[in-house]
Amino acid sequence: MNILVFAEQIDGSFKKSAFEAVSYASQIAQAHSGNVTAVVPGNVADDKLAELANFGASKIVSIKHDKLNGFNAETYAKVICNTATSENSGIVVISNTYSGKSVAPRVAARLKAGIASGVISMPNTSNGFVVRRGVFSGKAFADVNLTTDVKVLAITPNTFNTIENKQAVNIINAESGLADTDFTTQSVEINRVTGKIPLTEAEIVVSGGRGLKGPENWHLVEDLATALGAATACSKPVSDMHWRPHSEHVGQTGITIKPNLYFAIGISGAIQHLAGVSSSKVIVAINKDPEAPFFKAADYGIVGDAFEIMPKIIEAAKAFKNS
Amino acid sequence: MKILVCVSNVPDTTTKVTFTENNTQFNTGGVQFIINPYDELSLTRALEITEKQGGTVTTVTVGLADTEASIRKALAIGANDAVRINAAPTDAYFVAEQIAAYAKAENFDLIFTGRESIDYNGGQVCGLLAEMLGLPSVNVITSIEVEGGKATMERDIDGGKEKVSANLPLVVSAQKELTEPRIPNMRGIMAARTKPLKVVEPAGVAATSATVGFELPAPKGSVKLISVEDAGSIIGILHNEAKII
Ligand SMILES: Cc1cc2nc3c(=O)[nH]c(=O)nc-3n(C[C@H](O)[C@H](O)[C@H](O)COP(=O)(O)OP(=O)(O)OC[C@H]3O[C@@H](n4cnc5c(N)ncnc54)[C@H](O)[C@@H]3O)c2cc1C
């Protein structure tokens, strides 16, 4: 079974999620005697492209086109589908990032392929083609059988390891086959937060709730995040009261995250909040209420006043960082 | 301006999720259903746009008769009329095909979906629908202004925000921040009773996936408590015991 991976690049570099996707595809390929091809829209230098071969891609289709440097759902879907067709790919693997989520369904519709997004398992092919994904915002898992010939899998970042599996590099430069009229949406301006770890990619997240009493106390969250190299997050009431931006709100109606470590400070652990964070590998809860539901979901807990506890943890984290 | 808002009927966010029939069916017993929160944002923004520049807002729901309470609520919030496609939605592909079959002949200028439905969290309907209708799509928008046949939007991207523009017709998916959801008032609730709710039969389409089973996450072991005095030791524990930092 031939597998195509859409390897996402930003400004000419791949993110870790692109290597995860290639590693994931390469494991399927090994189990089903297939090849892995990576398709890369945008101008990526050949030595950068070659990095994908370290994780199991034996062919890299590079589509260099100035207008493909920035992400665009329609045109990316077209070039991914054209490559899938010419490579005779049975599976298309995409990272479930914001860009991946925009393009994956378009690819599925064009290829008339069944699609599973937020995938967290390798496919089980003993009876059909079944993958596992999170549903009900993390409150449960569903096993989905894709019944079409071609399948699209959008895999959750931070879930699968990158695995070294060096292949000989075979870089093909392909024409985009796009006309100007294909570019129906235009990027006007991009603002990336610099110097801060994006919440969606963070391996450690430090999050604050109403228990922190006001935005003026957020330095406690930020100082710990800085010491641990973590991203910051918050509960829904905190963003509703504009103490923190909406982009930091995690939970059922906010962002669902899956970091290795989640610090919940002054957050009760309501079911809607837990829904978005409960798949974190390790959870530390700090709350003065011993009955707070978060203590049922947490691995470690400290019952007490966050204003007394946080300075101690920050100090220990700084000492750890400098050790 | 003719706007279509996709409205999905989902379990209330406080729902304790359980399954029946050997973990193959979601247990709807005692579950309260609501309009998907992102769809409420879409609806409100659609109403704001038509109130400013004229036009109509239609909602569409793929669902059986038990979804009509949510549809009436959407009408009470202010939609002009509603369409229910009479089928149980089995997956996002099916939902998008049904909506595409209906929308094809209607020439909507703008179609809103939610960023994702909070039950199956696929986030797929926007892209699937746009591709099936041959329209551009912009995901996870946090603002939209429409003028002269053109939309200017802001959307979330990995690690930031992007401003994008596109010509109508267009399909977009709503992200938090788009607006504050509206709550129906008494006049709206009264008016909703007489607004048109059209039921259309589903188009025959082939299935592309099937959910074969569900599982609940393994219960957590009990929490390990650390005293306030020793709070700083959590860092060492995370390093030596949990091996996570
Ligand atoms: C009894 C029952 C069983 C179901 N079983 C499954 C299942 O096993 N697997 C599954 O994927 N889904 C199932 N659904 C459908 C589910 O409720 C969602 O409608 C569907 O999963 C949407 O896919 P998504 O999460 O990818 O959608 P998303 O792309 O996340 O949805 C985004 C947006 O699409 C629109 N949308 C979604 N659903 C509808 C709809 N029905 N009508 C109108 N607009 C809609 C809304 O605007 C929504 O905000 C079931 C529904 C019911 C009632």
Side-chain angles (χ1 to χ4, degrees), chain A residues 81-104:
Chain A
C81 290
N82 291 346
T83 316
T85 306
S86 62
E87 295 293 316
N88 198 15
S89 314
I91 302 174
V92 181
V93 175
I94 295 174
S95 300
N96 209 37
T97 56
Y98 278 125
S99 305
K101 283 180 196 172
S102 305
V103 79

Side-chain angles (χ1 to χ4, degrees), chain B residues 6-7 36 39 62 89-90 92 113-114 116-117 119-120 122-125 211:
Chain B
C6 301
V7 170
N36 190 39
D39 300 349
V62 181
T90 46
T113 75
E116 63 183 42
S117 60
D119 52 1
Y120 290 92
Q124 298 165 6
V125 171
T211 301

